[in-house]
């Protein structure tokens, strides 16, 4: 259907539209008009992706100069593929309606592992191996060597691409990863480099967060993207953690040992080269004197792990004399390593700021701040000069040099914590140096500064106002959308008491309380008897889950549950978990029924959807507060309080509630889906907690379901499940939660739609 | 009313939020909504008739009754099992009333096994006796869909192709314990054109959705006891025959009931063939239906002759199932204000008090809601139309 969104003609590839989709597009249009950033929350399963795509594509067509490019960031490869498929549908609709072939180029980009078509390289299992092998075939000096020695192995796909691929742009169309591979095979071009090259002139790019947020990757992939782009972060409820992770470094003793080996190798290579080709090192020295800003057009393949964000002025400067020659630099690295080693030899926890660290290192081993800043860049240069083919081996030393650069560049927003042992195993010495970023805005700042519009969207972003604060940006639109429903297909219940009136809570004091554990077991047992097919239960942590399950086993509760359903447990082992997940789905499929016990913040809670029968109920056992005794967290909380005036408790609650919302949101993946959401902790009933749930869940929590006993919850659930099992046809939705164009344009509906968006 | 008394005691029922449905009108009175509610409960949804569709009139139906642990649940009173069995008795009666030339068998499943309670027969008494006995069964373990389906298939697959082969499962449990992959047996059912319907007593189970969708059956979940009854009654009407089922002529015998007078010297009491295998029931009798082909004696119809295999029915039986093919058209619902003339129901002659009235589309007679239900559920013909056709000469 064709929509008119405040004067903009939008092609929407379906015959029906949800009211909230219309409302979402309205808000989005306003954001783009204002050339600002936006935070939009819309429940999952209400067609967020297609609304985004339709509106932005329409906007691009209407104002090609205002919004030249859409950069769509998603989290996982399957999600990327889904976006491309939606886009394909949209484009087909366009060409059908307008009759002309539009010159739209849209493509997905992923790592070499997903795009490589070289027969040997692509058969490798790990991303790192693929990257390393690819590098050893395509690095510029390898290719230069080949001129003198034609027997050297080379990737013919890259050669072919390099020879002709750049002249001929990728023909217009929609390319997902497989399409790119097919195209590459047909032409004999390397799909990865083709895609990386093509994103510069593509209209729409779909790729992972890291290509934009991780400074090491962003620098080489997304550096040249046009300023007038619209950037969308989908599923962005965890964006602050992604930012922080991309800037943090953890150093262990094992890593330092590997680093040592790296440095030894470097030294040997330097010796060898000195005997054979001393001129090369001299050449490098000359270049370093001139400055770091070098033409690296021909070297795009060389930069394997580029430097973290450096202020521009550093790049203009020359590398300081102390680390200019190769030997000096290696010696410098050695000193630095020894210093780190000595720091790891601690008996108690040390926490210090970057400035303190720099002062200490200067006093102890006389390392100045300036050479440290250039460490990462200098290492890259050395690796290039030494023509080391397999860079994957040098990840340890690269990491250390990145750390050196970061610690000397940023005085604010970072902290250094050295822990002699893990908290759980205080007897085993396992020293770790955490260089932890506390300010997510550092990593994302370039994105907000560079691009015209950045949209942050997800199904669970509540409370919305906290994101602009912790990411330090000023949005023009903040809106939350509700889900219009023809039948209330979600049933959030807060179970605060057991049948014996014992308060249910996972708070620290009652964690070991048998009465609570028994009541939790009772809740699961009773639910397993009345909920069909799949139940997903979330615990607050692995340790807590282990304790509870062990205790249930002793009390015989597990045995009783297993009469109703099979039990699967998520573990920290990814392979084990995916196996459990597969079997869980099988058991749901063939009617046996299953329970999946998993952990909030785990793999299951983030990436796995439990559509329809795979998840008829979610039970949250307790509130998923993050482990508050962690020193990194404490440091971060302190920083948030000092810098952003966010109280510790506010942030902790926000973090717990967004994870709880994420977990329970796993069951509702659309309007035809239905599911129970059971919050088994009396603390959820409190207004400050409840108020932080997304609006589309909050709306359905009635006052009478705030502090239920297990029995009451069972009664309500039974009733709900029976109601939901009644036939539900599309006609029931029409006009209420599903609209035709005609219904949409009626006055009354437009009136209603304005109420869907909830501005904060 | 009958249903009312069967209802659970208020304090035993679930939490009902009856006050939420009530809304005050402008004058602050609740009367209007209460009346509306009563009216709605009276007026059941008229089943949409298929028009002229071939129906599978000769039905072979297996009813699978779940007797697993979950049947002890007390949300139906006194418990699910007793309530189900009671409703099943009514179902069997009604079923044979409306489908006289069809047969039923009952299977129970519990403790991962399936057992035949009664074989496929056309004799309602046998089933009802078995159901009465089954009240005392102990419910334990899990049911097995696979085993019950395969047990039903064993018999149904030998039934002739022109009959409609059906399985109705009453499933209370939310889990099933199967020895093998159930999707295999769904394929088999599909290839044998056996229609499987499920009535769930607790919630929607995925495997049942697939099972019914693949085999073309219905899947419903009950809300309460009266809804359960309604859903059971849905299965009394013969399903439309699949277009691919074969057609064939069926030989049928129409025996007459002959009673030898007691004065007749030659009269000898004889055994009914149908009672030979069962020890109960009356033994010797004088009269009965005699098979026109082999003269075997039966006391009840319809039955398949044990000796020559001929289907024995009486003409009224056939006529009774006739109305399924030509259902009475639904009456037109309209507001009572639009009615001109007398405000009396044509059938009961009572005054029309409800807001809505029902008009027969062919003779334009007016009926009240009770009579409309009676006409459609029991009479299957409009009394006024009949009356006008048979005008006395």
């Amino acid at each position: 259907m064709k929509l008119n969104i405040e004067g903009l003609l939008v092609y929407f590839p379906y015959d029906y539209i949800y009211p909230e989709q219309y409302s979402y597009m309205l808000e989005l249009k306003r954001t783009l008009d204002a050339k600002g950033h936006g935070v939009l929350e819309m429940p999952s399963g209400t067609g967020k992706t297609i609304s985004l795509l339709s509106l932005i594509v329409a906007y691009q067509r209407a104002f090609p100069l205002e919004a030249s490019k859409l950069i769509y960031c998603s989290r996982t490869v399957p999600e990327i593929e889904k976006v491309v498929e939606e886009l394909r549908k949209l484009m087909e609709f366009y060409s059908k309606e307008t009759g002309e072939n539009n010159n739209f180029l849209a493509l997905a980009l992923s790592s070499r592992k997903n795009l490589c078509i070289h027969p040997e390289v692509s058969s490798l299992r790990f991303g790192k191996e693929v990257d390393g092998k690819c590098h050893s075939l395509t690095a510029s000096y390898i290719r230069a060597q080949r001129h003198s020695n034609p027997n050297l192995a080379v990737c013919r796909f890259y050669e072919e691409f390099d020879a002709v691929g750049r002249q001929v742009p990728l023909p217009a169309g929609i390319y997902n990863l497989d399409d790119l591979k097919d195209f590459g095979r047909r032409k004999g071009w390397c799909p990865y480099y083709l895609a990386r090259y093509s994103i510069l002139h593509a209209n729409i790019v779909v790729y992972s967060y890291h290509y934009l947020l991780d400074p090491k990757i962003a620098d080489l992939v997304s550096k040249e993207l046009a300023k007038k782009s619209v950037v969308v972060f989908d599923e962005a409820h965890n964006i602050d953690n992604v930012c922080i992770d991309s800037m943090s470094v953890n150093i262990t003793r094992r890593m330092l040992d590997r680093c040592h080996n790296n440095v030894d190798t470097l030294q040997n290579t330097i010796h060898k080269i000195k005997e054979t080709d001393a001129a090369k090192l001299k050449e490098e020295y000359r270049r370093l004197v001139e400055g770091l800003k070098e033409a690296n057009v021909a070297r795009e393949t060389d930069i394997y792990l580029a430097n973290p964000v450096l202020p521009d002025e550093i790049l203009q400067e020359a590398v300081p004399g102390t680390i200019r020659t190769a030997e000096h630099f290696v010696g410098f690295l050695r000193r630095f390593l020894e210093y780190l080693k000595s720091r790891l030899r601690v008996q108690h926890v040390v926490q210090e700021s970057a400035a303190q660290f720099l002062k200490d290192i200067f006093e102890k081993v006389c390392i100045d701040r300036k050479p440290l800043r250039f460490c990462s860049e200098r290492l890259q240069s050395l690796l290039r000069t030494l023509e080391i083919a397999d860079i994957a081996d040098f990840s340890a030393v690269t990491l250390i040099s990145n750390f050196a650069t970061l610690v000397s560049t940023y005085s604010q927003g970072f902290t250094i914590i050295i822990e002699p042992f893990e908290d759980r195993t205080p007897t085993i010495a396992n020293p770790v140096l955490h260089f932890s970023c506390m300010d997510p805005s550092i990593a994302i700042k370039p994105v907000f500064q560079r691009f015209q519009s950045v949209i942050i969207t997800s199904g669970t972003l509540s409370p919305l106002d906290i994101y602009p604060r912790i990411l330090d940006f000023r949005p023009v639109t903040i809106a939350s959308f509700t889900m219009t429903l023809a039948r209330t297909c979600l049933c959030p219940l807060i179970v605060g008491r057991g049948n014996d009136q014992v308060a249910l809570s996972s708070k620290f004091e009652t964690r070991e309380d048998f009465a609570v554990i028994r009541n939790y077991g009772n809740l699961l047992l009773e639910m397993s008897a009345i909920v069909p097919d799949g139940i997903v239960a979330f615990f607050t942590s692995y340790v807590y889950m282990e304790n509870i399950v062990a205790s249930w086993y002793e009390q015989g509760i597990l045995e009783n549950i297993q009469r109703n359903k099979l039990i699967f447990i998520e573990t920290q082992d990814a392979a084990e978990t995916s196996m459990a997940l597969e079997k869980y789905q099988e058991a749901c499929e063939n009617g046996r029924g299953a329970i999946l016990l998993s952990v909030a913040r785990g793999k299951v809670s983030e990436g796995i959807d439990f559509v329809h029968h795979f998840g008829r109920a979610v039970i949250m056992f307790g509130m998923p507060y993050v482990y508050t005794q962690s020193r990194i967290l404490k440091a971060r909380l302190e920083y948030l309080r000092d810098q952003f005036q966010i109280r510790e408790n506010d942030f902790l609650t926000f973090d717990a509630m967004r994870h709880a919302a994420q977990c329970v949101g796993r069951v509702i993946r659309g309007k035809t889906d239905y599911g129970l959401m059971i919050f088994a902790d009396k603390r959820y009933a409190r207004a400050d907690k409840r108020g932080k749930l997304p609006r589309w869940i909050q709306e359905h929590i009635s006052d009478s379901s705030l502090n239920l006993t297990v029995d009451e919850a069972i009664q309500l659930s039974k009733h709900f499940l029976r109601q939901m099992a009644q036939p539900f046809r599309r006609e029931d939705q029409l006009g209420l939660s599903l609209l035709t164009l005609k219904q949409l344009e009626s006055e009354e509906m437009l009136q209603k739609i304005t109420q869907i968006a909830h501005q904060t | 009313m009958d249903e009312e008394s069967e209802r659970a005691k208020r304090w035993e029922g679930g939490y009902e939020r009856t006050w939420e449905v009530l809304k005050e009108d402008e004058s602050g009175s609740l009367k209007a909504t209460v009346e509306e509610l009563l009216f709605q409960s009276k007026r059941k949804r008229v089943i949409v008739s298929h028009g002229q569709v071939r129906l599978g009139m000769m039905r072979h139906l297996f009813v699978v009754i779940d007797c697993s642990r979950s049947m002890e649940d007390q949300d139906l009173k006194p418990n699910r099992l007793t309530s189900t069995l009671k409703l099943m008795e009514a179902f069997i009666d009604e079923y044979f009333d409306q489908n006289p030339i069809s047969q039923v068998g009952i299977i129970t499943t519990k403790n991962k096994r399936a057992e035949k309670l009664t074989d496929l027969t056309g004799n309602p008494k046998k089933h009802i006796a078995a159901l009465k006995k089954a009240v005392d069964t102990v419910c334990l373990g899990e049911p097995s869909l696979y085993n019950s389906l395969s047990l039903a298939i064993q018999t149904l697959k030998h039934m002739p192709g022109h009959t409609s082969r059906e399985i109705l499962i009453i499933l209370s449990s939310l889990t099933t314990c199967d020895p093998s992959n159930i999707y295999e047996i769904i394929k088999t059912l599909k290839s044998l054109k056996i229609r499987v319907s499920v009535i769930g007593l607790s919630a929607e189970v995925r495997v049942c959705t697939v099972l019914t969708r693949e085999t073309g059956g219905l899947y419903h979940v009950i809300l309460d006891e009266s809804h359960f009854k309604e859903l059971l009654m849905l299965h009394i009407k013969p399903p439309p025959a699949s277009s691919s089922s074969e057609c064939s002529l069926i030989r049928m015998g129409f025996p007459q009931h002959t009673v030898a007078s007691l004065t007749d010297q030659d009269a000898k009491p004889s055994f009914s063939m149908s009672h030979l295998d069962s020890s109960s029931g009356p033994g010797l009798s004088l009269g009965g239906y005699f098979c026109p082909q082999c003269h075997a004696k039966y006391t009840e119809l319809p039955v398949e002759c044990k000796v020559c295999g001929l289907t024995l029915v009486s003409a009224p039986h056939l006529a009774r199932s006739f109305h399924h093919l030509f259902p009475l058209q639904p009456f037109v619902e309209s507001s009572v204000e639009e009615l001109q003339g007398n405000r009396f129901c044509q059938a009961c002659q009572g005054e029309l008090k409800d807001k809505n009235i029902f008009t027969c589309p062919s003779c334009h007679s007016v009926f009240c809601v009770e009579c409309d239900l009676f006409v459609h559920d029991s009479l299957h013909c409009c009394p006024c139309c009949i009356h006008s056709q048979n005008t006395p000469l």
Side-chain angles (χ1 to χ4, degrees), chain A residues 488-534:
Chain A
T488 35
C489 67
L490 63 162
C491 178
L493 302 173
I494 297 172
V495 182
R497 293 167 293 154
N499 287 338
D500 46 6
Q501 304 299 327
V502 171
L504 290 181
S505 175
S506 70
K507 69 176 179 213
F508 188 71
E509 295 79 49
T510 61
R511 199 162 273 193
E512 308 283 305
D513 191 343
F514 272 106
V516 174
I517 296 178
R518 190 189 57 234
N519 273 314
Y520 273 155
N522 205 15
L523 173 66
L524 188 63
L525 174 61
E526 303 241 339
M527 290 307 288
S528 74
I530 62 150
V531 177
D533 300 326

Side-chain angles (χ1 to χ4, degrees), chain A residues 365-432:
Chain A
V365 287
C366 295
I367 290 183
D368 210 353
R369 183 174 173 192
K370 196 164 181 205
L372 270 181
R373 268 171 115 176
F374 284 87
C375 196
S376 151
E377 199 56 43
R378 180 67 189 93
L379 180 73
Q380 295 307 320
S381 165
L382 183 67
L383 290 177
R384 273 202 296 276
T385 315
L386 299 182
E387 301 185 353
I388 290 164
D390 204 355
I391 281 202
D393 291 344
F394 285 86
S395 58
V397 73
T398 316
L399 201 88
I400 297 289
S401 63
N402 279 341
F403 163 64
T405 307
L406 282 172
V407 77
S408 50
T409 308
Y410 294 101
S411 52
Q412 280 275 313
F414 286 85
T415 187
I416 294 165
I417 296 169
I418 306 170
E419 289 181 325
F421 43 72
E422 271 184 60
D423 276 349
R424 241 181 287 163
T425 51
T427 47
I428 305 163
N430 179 24
V432 185

